[in-house]
């Protein structure tokens, strides 16, 4: 990989710690809604299991990759990077199937405006993942950019993890802030990382793209009850689901 702006980059150790914390929070967040039902998992089907396993695999990869760089195990790092070519498409397929299942389980059973509200995040998440991962692969030989776009994929998990934790702590009374808080927190973190790159005279483009994409997600969530968004959800639902 091209060692672009290496002196300005965040340390692999710091990223490893952050991703390790995210993985731990992932287990805590999904214990109440999924893991506690092990091993019978009554009420869940193969889509839930597949989606959960693939998401966990991606989280593990996000933890391992910076650790391997920190330990100087570059060959193993590249090997796992090649494995991501297999995991990433499965991630997209599993997110699509999980979203489709969620849509079909709600449409016709609750007001459509509420269906559109639920999908305000589900429809966008796969697109964000595709964007960040694609950019990471395009710039796989440029460490500075590659690392930041891969970190971008972790923000998708951050929203899912924190929203569930907030619901567990505060209950349904916190809605819709169970989503708004993680969404805004993601933008704040990404903005701070962008500012850090600018102050250290690093390339601002990667985190600018990540921050802009996350901010767009917020705008869509705020517009979840608009006629435009409901029309988009209906259009996609009728043609893809």
């Amino acid at each position: 990989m091209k060692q672009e702006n290496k002196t300005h980059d965040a340390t692999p150790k710091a990223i490893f710690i952050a991703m390790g914390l995210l993985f731990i929070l992932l287990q805590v967040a999904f214990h109440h809604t999924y893991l506690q039902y092990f091993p019978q998992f009554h009420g869940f089907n193969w889509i839930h299991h597949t989606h959960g396993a693939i998401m966990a695999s991606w989280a593990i990869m996000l933890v391992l990759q910076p650790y391997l760089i920190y330990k100087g195990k570059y060959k193993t790092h590249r090997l796992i990077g090649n494995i991501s070519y297999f995991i990433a498409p499965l991630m997209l397929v599993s997110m699509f199937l999980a979203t489709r299942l969620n849509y079909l389980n709600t449409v016709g059973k609750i007001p459509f405006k509420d269906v559109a509200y639920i999908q305000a995040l589900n429809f966008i998440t796969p697109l964000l993942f595709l964007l960040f991962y694609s950019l990471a692969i395009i710039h796989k030989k440029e460490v500075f950019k590659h690392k930041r776009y891969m970190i971008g994929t972790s923000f998708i998990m951050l929203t899912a993890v924190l929203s569930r934790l907030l619901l567990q702590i505060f209950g349904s009374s916190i809605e819709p802030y169970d989503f708004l808080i993680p969404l805004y927190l993601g933008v704040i973190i990404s903005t701070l990382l962008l500012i850090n790159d600018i102050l250290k005279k690093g390339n601002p483009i990667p985190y600018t793209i990540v921050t802009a994409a996350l901010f767009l997600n917020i705008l869509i969530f705020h517009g979840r009850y608009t006629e435009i968004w409901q029309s988009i959800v209906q259009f996609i639902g009728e043609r893809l689901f």
Side-chain angles (χ1 to χ4, degrees), residues 178-218:
D178 54 323
F179 288 120
L180 285 173
I181 291 174
L183 287 172
Y184 275 101
L185 180 61
V187 168
I188 291 172
I189 294 174
S190 182
T191 300
L192 290 175
L193 292 172
L194 170 60
I195 292 173
N196 181 66
D197 280 350
I198 293 174
L199 292 177
K200 293 184 176 181
K201 302 186 186 304
N203 189 334
I205 293 178
Y207 277 135
T208 297
I209 293 176
V210 172
T211 303
L214 295 177
F215 186 73
L216 176 61
N217 201 12
I218 291 177

Side-chain angles (χ1 to χ4, degrees), residues 73-226:
K73 299 182 181 297
Y74 301 107
K75 289 184 178 180
T76 307
H77 175 85
R78 286 191 291 270
L79 174 61
I80 294 179
N82 290 333
I83 294 175
S84 77
Y85 296 147
F86 176 72
I87 298 178
L90 291 179
M91 277 276 288
L92 290 169
V93 172
S94 74
M95 283 190 281
F96 171 80
L97 292 176
T99 299
R100 178 179 181 274
L101 179 64
N102 181 274
Y103 178 86
L104 294 177
N105 284 341
T106 55
V107 69
K109 299 178 182 178
I110 60 175
F112 192 79
K113 64 181 182 64
D114 294 324
V115 175
Y117 160 47
I118 295 171
Q119 304 309 326
L121 293 178
N122 292 344
F123 277 19
I124 304 304
T125 299
L127 298 179
L128 292 180
F129 177 82
L130 177 62
L131 172 65
F132 298 150
Y133 179 72
S134 297
L135 289 172
I137 297 305
I138 290 172
H139 299 286
K140 65 180 180 179
K141 293 185 178 181
E142 301 174 78
V143 175
F144 186 89
K145 294 179 180 179
H146 174 79
K147 186 181 296 183
R148 280 151 176 75
Y149 291 129
M150 287 300 291
I151 290 174
T153 66
S154 71
F155 284 105
I156 295 170
M157 293 188 176
L158 180 67
T159 302
V161 167
L162 292 185
S163 64
R164 284 166 174 78
L165 287 176
L166 289 171
L167 276 175
Q168 290 181 33
I169 296 171
F170 298 103
S172 60
S173 61
I174 197 175
E175 295 179 358
Y177 297 103
D178 54 323
F179 288 120
L180 285 173
I181 291 174
L183 287 172
Y184 275 101
L185 180 61
V187 168
I188 291 172
I189 294 174
S190 182
T191 300
L192 290 175
L193 292 172
L194 170 60
I195 292 173
N196 181 66
D197 280 350
I198 293 174
L199 292 177
K200 293 184 176 181
K201 302 186 186 304
N203 189 334
I205 293 178
Y207 277 135
T208 297
I209 293 176
V210 172
T211 303
L214 295 177
F215 186 73
L216 176 61
N217 201 12
I218 291 177
L219 292 180
I220 291 173
F221 188 76
H222 277 296
R224 62 193 181 279
Y225 283 129
T226 63

Side-chain angles (χ1 to χ4, degrees), residues 34 41-52 97-98 101 105:
Y34 181 72
F41 288 111
H42 295 305
F44 298 93
N45 60 32
W46 68 271
I47 294 178
H48 296 115
H49 301 319
T50 302
H51 180 62
L97 292 176
L101 179 64
N105 284 341

